[in-house]
Each structure stands twice: as C-alpha cells, then as structure tokens.
Amino acid sequence: MITKIHMQDQINNRINDLMRDDKLSKTDELLQIFISLTTVVMFLIVGVHW
C-alpha cells in the first residue's frame, strides 16, 4: 500500500517537473504556431493553384 507521504512526494515531484517545463513551453508554443501557420498557408496556396 502506498503511504500518504509517498503520494505527497510524488505530487510534489510532478509539480516541480511541470514548473520546470514551463520554460520550454514558450518555445514549443511558438513552434506549434509557426507550423500551424505554415500548414494553413500551404493549403491556401494549393487551393488557389488548383
């Protein structure tokens, strides 16, 4: 059986991991926006050409 303290440690570790990932999420978000816009532009170009 998992003890209460062990579960709290797991939660605290997960919160710390998520807080550290916040620094990388800005670049991930920008990359996602760039890829989305590139995909939309490509479909518009193909649609106009077709």
Side-chain angles (χ1 to χ4, degrees):
M1 181 172 173
I2 297 176
T3 62
K4 188 174 182 180
I5 294 174
H6 181 66
M7 289 174 57
Q8 288 175 342
D9 287 342
Q10 285 182 334
I11 292 171
N12 287 332
N13 289 339
R14 182 65 181 142
I15 290 171
N16 289 335
D17 287 343
L18 290 172
M19 295 299 285
R20 277 187 252 129
D21 285 347
D22 187 37
K23 296 174 186 174
L24 297 177
S25 68
K26 299 273 186 196
T27 56
D28 290 341
E29 184 177 349
L30 290 175
L31 182 63
Q32 182 178 2
I33 291 171
F34 175 73
I35 291 172
S36 298
L37 289 175
T38 304
T39 305
V40 168
V41 169
M42 285 178 58
F43 276 110
L44 287 175
I45 290 171
V46 169
V48 168
H49 186 281
W50 184 43

